[in-house]
Amino acid sequence: MSDGYDFSQLYHATLVSYSPGTTFLATVYQNRLIIRSTTTLQIVRTWACIRPASSIASSSKNADQEVKIDSIEWSEDGLHILVFSLSAKTAWVFGLASEGDGESGEIAKIGGEGVEGLFQVEWGQAGKQVLAWSDYGLRISVYDLTTGITRIIQNPKSHLQCHTYSPDNRYMAIAEKHLGKEYIGIYDVIDTYHLVRHFQLSTTDVQGLSWSLCGRYIAAWDSSLSYSMYIHSPIGPLLTHFTHNSPTFSPISSTEDPGLGIRTVTWAPGGRWLAIGGWDGKVRIIESEGWRCIAVLNWGNRITEKDITVWKEPHDWVKDTRGRGIVQFDQMPIPTSIPNIRPDLGKPNPNMGISQISFDRNAALFFVKSETCPNVIHIHTFLETPTSESPNITHLASLIFDNPVKSAVWCPSPSGKHQKKISITTKSGAIYLWDEEGGWEEENPNGESQQTCEHKGGMMEGVGIPSRIEFSAIDLQWAPDGTSLVIQDKSQFCLLYDNDTDTAVGDASARWDGADEGLSHVMEEDEDEEGWSGYGLGLREELQGGFPRAIKA
């Protein structure tokens, strides 16, 4: 399936994030933010996040270590990093190519402990703006770091899924609650988040908003107690109310009752179709023309269709190969059983329903993860071509793993190669890769390697992470250009480079050379690495003016 893979050394980090241009990696170790070069993994810059002096307890022996960093996010231009600590209720903005005058070297600091502290922060979608959610859902503060102006949005519904942007990032829709009623506010991002529309929702407890990729619709779904979806125009009018009582709810049965509500909502690229994952474990595909359900997908504990490919992970292969192997999954005969779990309905938030629906960039394929089948990924076809008038939905393949799936992501390769490739982690010592266009190399009787033909259900392989110390991959992140992949456990990470990519990535010194039998060395963050400060690249001159140093919430 690939010509091979290279791994970097292991490095300590609890959070990792690629810069938008893939040039740098931002990592977090203890209370420090560390910027590394993606190609060499040498340290470029470091900062220590220090708790505000007013909140340091007099009995604290080491106040620096008390700061736990919960999130990091790059600005759109890749020149600034937003860091947030929930325990300190503080956010820091660091400039990659500038020296800040704050106590921690930041160019701006927001918040601090108090009666009303910060609960979440994120970058806005225009310029240097930071959105900060306060405790108790009281307000969102929009800080403009170039002008120092702050705008307040009152009574946001939630910090989770209740805000969404238009496809061009010009407008933001926020679910709000005023006097016991729920509303959608439309704000102009460019015009300092000025309110341009405000209309009431018919929901009782809105759980999320999602702006369609065509920009014409905003979907709002209600609580899990009712299967209820409201589709609004961005200028306000209600276009449809989709429930299980709708005449177009199901092409299978007009009396079908899902029981519970909606858990997951995903627009297909183009915005014409909407995939809804319910707590009932079914996926419904909704078409915007007439807002009718055109397909209902459901998976039992047994696959009987002969044209479906089922790949199953070989048992204990990571242990048998000492994490140094690359194995092809076993193709199971049809019919075959799918492992299921029975949710405990006596406990709150039972493991049930559809937790993830993800389309590839051309909507040719999508995969589904169900909590009742945590060890399985189901892959389906969707559009035959990006301009197809109607989808052709077929069950293409199912992937069965020994452990529950923790993370699954499409490769974002913009070049066209490997766009139909999924990377998966299962809290094991391996990374898993499915490729629809992949093949497998085998030796013929003469001992020569030969490539097998492409398989209808793609090819599935596991790649062992060669580490002598315990490393359980729980999360992953593709580089924006698709040339490398960050693999993380709770406190360490490494990079995987695919030798089959068109771009040569990574300095040889950053990659594992196989000299030890495994990645036995974990690089310490206080090591004396010779990097550069960033000034030699002229990054400092790219900044347009300075920022106010501190902003109080």
Side-chain angles (χ1 to χ4, degrees), residues 17 33 51 95 106 173 182 191 216 220 246 284 301 304 346 374 391 405 439 454 460 518:
S17 178
L33 174 67
R51 185 183 293 270
E106 75 274 1
E182 296 181 334
D191 188 14
R216 299 170 58 189
S246 301
R284 294 172 175 85
N301 56 9
T304 58
V405 173
E454 294 182 1
M460 183 69 203

Side-chain angles (χ1 to χ4, degrees), residues 299-302 337-343 370-374 376:
W299 305 269
N301 56 9
R302 192 170 178 81
S337 297
I338 297 294
N340 279 259
I341 62 171
R342 184 182 297 274
S370 172
E371 289 300 304
T372 54
C373 304
V376 181

Side-chain angles (χ1 to χ4, degrees), residues 122-143:
E122 67 178 44
W123 284 110
Q125 296 297 317
K128 295 298 181 294
Q129 298 165 333
V130 175
L131 276 61
W133 278 256
S134 67
D135 279 334
Y136 317 114
L138 296 179
R139 64 181 183 178
I140 299 175
S141 300
V142 183
Y143 300 102

